[in-house]
Amino acid sequence: MTPEELSEAIETALSTSIDAGELTLAEGAELPAVRVERPKNRDHGDWATNVALQISKKVGKNPREVAQLLAEKIGAVSGVAKVDVAGPGFLNITLDAGAAGELAQTIVEAGSAFGTNDELAGKTINLEFVSANPTGPIHLGGTRWAAVGDSLARVLEAEGANVVREYYFNDHGGQIDRFARSLLARAKGEPAPEDGYGGEYITDIANRVLEANPQALESDDPQEAFRAAGVDFMFSDIKKSLHDFKVDFDVYFHENSLFEGGKVEEMLERLKSNENLYFKDGAWWLKSTDFGDDKDRVVIKSDGNAAYIAGDIAYFQDKINRPTNPADICIYMLGADHHGYVARLKAAAAAVGDDPDRVEVMIGQMVNLVKDGKPVRMSKRAGTVVILEDLVDAVGVDAARYTLTRYSVDSNIDIDLDLLTKQSNDNPVFYVQYAHARTCNVARNAEAAGVDTSSVDHSLLNTASDNELLSALAQYPNAVKEAATFREPHRIARYLESLASAYHSWYGNSRVAPMGDEEVTDLHRTRLQLNNAARTVLANGLNLLGVNAPEKM
């Protein structure tokens, strides 16, 4: 019996009580969704629910009275061994071993679909992440967003959402001019401009521009020649780096198109017509304080140029009004220096007449590398910053992605490079991947010994380690659901570590393949099915993180 099946059984018991007149729901009141959770103390049963406390006022009865009424009906459900009423009205439910063990078969039969649902079906979520300026390689902050963003997209898709992964190509502004001047200076053998970019990658891009166009320095506009070709080369490198990191995008959106296509001008006219834009001190201001921002924002500066927020507002409008995949929700994943954007973007959405709740902003904190107990601050290629390739070269894609996704985005990370290259239980990604590899090895040994799952008896899964492993497996769908609801894919990594712990413990206490001349029994077959269920969930969870599930290590 899965937690979902048990929740449905409780909902049925509740509906039956209302239909029979044993409980009377107050007019206008609605029944809550029933949830079951693992009790902290397993002596209290396999599952617990507080639904009696949730509905007591709605039905005008004491919570314990409601709980006792539901307990009698739930106790009659096939697979439920007993139901206890505890405290003010909690229901503690114990399943019989056979019903609990059926979860292993459910998982194996579902395969890669286990843990998925259609909670977000029909929703299109535009998820914009990384969006590094095409003026240099992706630094560690962008690398973190690449790992977290792609994992979040996978989690949201597991909940049924249509996710559009989007990269915002910032090709409108002064940073592109500085990049072009830096390339031109390097090609001429001159020092980099004071406000320009350094690092070996500038030399590499400049040489590639000259190789593609030997006459670039003699062209009518050398800076433009280096700008156009240099940005293309740099962005091509960024795309390749991300692809090698298992991150690809559905849309590469050019900021400049907002201006060239008239979308910024169209947005300005709309704001003027609804009187949410006013003229003051030679500039046009958005009445953003009317919509929760801490101050009004300049949209068109006194020199006639658009401020950043002008493009931001037009960009949001573009996302929600596209003919293909218009967004129901727009998630922006921004760096630690963008805290002001949370209220700003929501206010901008409200000012143009849209629901500010369609805008979600996630702010990511800093990432630091540590080796031999000391910070790593320099890159061989980029000079003053550490980049994606540096991290991958040091620990590999799997360890990099797992570690960057393992922590809540609002916390700083210190990544210990020495730890991530160790094959030990102290290394979280090794610990989880090794659990999967171990399940595969157990399955191979079982096959060699003639063990299959043609005949199983779930009631034989009755040891403490069986129960702990089944308990861990049962919590996977909820871990996925919460990771999607709270936009926190790190919950998947932490879940996998708890599952790996339960599996390693089970492995030490439960033989699957018979020893010597021992005959193959239903116990061996049933344990093999439980082993395979663990393999399925470990693989599913690692896939949500974009991390390989190795069969051998």
Side-chain angles (χ1 to χ4, degrees):
M1 179 179 288
T2 67
E4 291 75 19
E5 290 170 338
L6 181 57
S7 294
E8 289 176 6
I10 298 171
E11 288 176 351
T12 299
L14 186 54
S15 298
T16 300
S17 298
I18 292 173
D19 292 343
E22 297 167 322
L23 295 174
T24 302
L25 194 62
E27 185 176 351
E30 295 182 357
L31 293 177
V34 174
R35 287 189 58 189
V36 294
E37 297 179 341
R38 286 289 180 179
K40 294 179 180 179
N41 185 343
R42 289 303 305 282
D43 291 337
H44 294 164
D46 296 315
W47 299 99
T49 180
N50 65 347
V51 66
L53 284 80
Q54 288 182 286
I55 69 166
S56 60
K57 289 184 179 179
K58 296 180 179 182
V59 297
K61 285 185 177 291
N62 180 285
R64 282 190 66 91
E65 288 183 72
V66 178
Q68 192 60 55
L69 181 65
L70 294 177
E72 294 175 6
K73 289 181 169 57
I74 298 167
V77 173
S78 176
V80 174
K82 66 174 182 175
V83 182
D84 295 318
V85 177
F90 292 102
L91 289 164
N92 293 330
I93 303 165
T94 302
L95 304 179
D96 63 43
E102 287 174 1
L103 176 65
Q105 183 170 329
T106 298
I107 292 171
V108 172
E109 290 176 350
S112 61
F114 182 73
T116 65
N117 64 57
D118 58 0
E119 186 80 13
L120 295 176
K123 291 281 187 183
T124 293
I125 299 177
N126 183 289
L127 181 60
E128 183 207 324
F129 60 105
V130 184
S131 296
N133 291 334
T135 55
I138 298 173
H139 56 70
L140 281 184
T143 305
R144 183 180 195 178
W145 276 139
V148 174
D150 185 64
S151 296
L152 178 58
R154 293 167 185 245
V155 167
L156 293 170
E157 287 170 339
E159 292 290 295
N162 172 38
V163 179
V164 177
R165 294 166 172 82
E166 183 145 342
Y167 188 113
Y168 188 55
F169 188 110
N170 191 341
D171 55 355
H172 182 86
Q175 75 280 357
I176 298 294
D177 292 335
R178 295 195 296 273
F179 177 63
R181 291 198 302 270
S182 301
L183 293 175
L184 182 58
R186 190 65 56 88
K188 290 179 175 180
E190 298 173 352
E194 187 175 340
D195 60 350
Y197 297 92
E200 291 182 12
Y201 78 94
I202 291 292
T203 301
D204 173 57
I205 296 293
N207 289 338
R208 286 159 68 184
V209 173
L210 288 172
E211 184 179 342
N213 180 10
Q215 305 304 315
L217 287 171
E218 285 75 42
S219 64
D220 293 338
D221 189 347
Q223 183 171 312
E224 174 57 26
F226 278 86
R227 187 203 67 79
V231 167
D232 283 346
F233 281 128
M234 190 71 256
F235 200 46
S236 176
D237 288 354
I238 289 173
K239 285 183 178 180
K240 183 180 185 307
S241 295
L242 290 168
H243 177 75
D244 292 344
F245 201 55
K246 300 182 183 177
V247 178
D248 294 291
F249 290 86
D250 303 301
V251 175
Y252 291 94
F253 189 90
H254 290 253
E255 179 186 16
N256 209 39
S257 68
L258 294 169
F259 295 85
E260 293 179 348
K263 293 184 182 297
V264 171
E265 189 63 34
E266 179 183 322
M267 174 274 300
L268 292 173
E269 291 304 316
R270 181 174 178 182
L271 287 172
K272 290 176 183 178
S273 66
N274 66 17
E275 299 184 346
N276 285 324
L277 208 63
Y278 64 92
F279 191 74
K280 176 185 175 185
D281 298 331
W284 284 97
W285 296 70
L286 178 69
K287 295 180 180 178
S288 43
T289 51
D290 289 355
F291 304 99
D293 201 358
D294 59 346
K295 62 181 180 180
D296 286 351
R297 305 284 177 176
V298 174
V299 179
I300 300 297
K301 296 181 284 188
S302 57
D303 61 5
N305 290 320
Y308 280 119
I309 194 172
D312 292 336
I313 303 171
Y315 186 33
F316 168 71
Q317 285 283 286
D318 180 84
K319 285 182 176 181
I320 64 174
N321 291 313
R322 291 175 184 170
T324 302
N325 292 324
D328 297 301
I329 299 171
C330 298
I331 301 177
Y332 299 78
M333 305 178 76
L334 305 176
D337 56 343
H338 287 74
H339 277 284
Y341 271 70
V342 179
R344 188 183 314 177
L345 288 172
K346 284 183 172 290
V352 292
D354 286 298
D355 183 355
D357 288 340
R358 295 175 74 175
V359 172
E360 298 180 21
V361 182
M362 297 173 62
I363 302 295
Q365 297 303 317
M366 300 298 291
V367 181
N368 302 301
L369 297 190
V370 177
K371 184 171 177 59
D372 300 325
K374 299 178 180 178
V376 178
R377 302 193 186 280
M378 299 289 288
S379 168
K380 293 178 181 177
R381 183 163 181 248
T384 57
V385 295
V386 182
I387 60 175
L388 185 156
E389 285 83 356
D390 297 323
L391 179 58
V392 171
D393 287 346
V395 302
V397 171
D398 282 349
R401 283 193 61 129
Y402 187 96
T403 304
L404 289 168
T405 311
R406 185 174 181 257
Y407 300 90
S408 172
V409 296
D410 58 9
S411 63
N412 292 326
I413 307 177
D414 289 325
I415 296 179
D416 187 336
L417 298 179
D418 298 312
L419 174 64
L420 290 182
T421 55
K422 289 182 180 178
Q423 293 194 346
S424 73
N425 290 344
D426 294 329
N427 178 352
V429 65
F430 174 82
Y431 188 65
V432 174
Q433 286 185 313
Y434 184 58
H436 183 269
R438 180 170 263 180
T439 65
C440 295
N441 188 55
V442 167
R444 285 191 295 269
N445 291 339
E447 182 180 12
V451 182
D452 57 28
T453 57
S454 58
S455 175
V456 297
D457 181 354
H458 297 118
S459 67
L460 298 175
L461 298 176
N462 54 17
T463 68
S465 55
D466 289 335
N467 290 333
E468 285 304 313
L469 181 53
L470 285 165
S471 170
L473 293 170
Q475 295 175 65
Y476 177 65
N478 193 56
V480 178
K481 183 181 180 65
E482 290 188 344
T485 300
F486 298 107
R487 317 302 195 226
E488 293 180 340
H490 74 272
R491 291 172 181 258
I492 302 298
R494 298 305 176 133
Y495 164 79
L496 288 173
E497 289 163 35
S498 67
L499 173 59
S501 176
Y503 178 78
H504 287 309
S505 177
W506 178 84
Y507 172 87
N509 294 311
S510 309
R511 283 202 61 82
V512 174
M515 298 182 64
D517 296 330
E518 183 183 359
E519 289 187 7
V520 175
T521 66
D522 279 353
L523 178 59
H524 297 116
R525 299 185 185 97
T526 308
R527 283 178 174 169
L528 174 60
Q529 188 179 73
L530 180 54
N531 173 83
N532 294 347
R535 178 177 63 186
T536 296
V537 175
L538 285 164
N540 290 356
L542 285 168
N543 180 63
L544 290 183
L545 301 180
V547 175
N548 285 318
E551 296 187 2
K552 293 181 180 181
M553 290 183 72

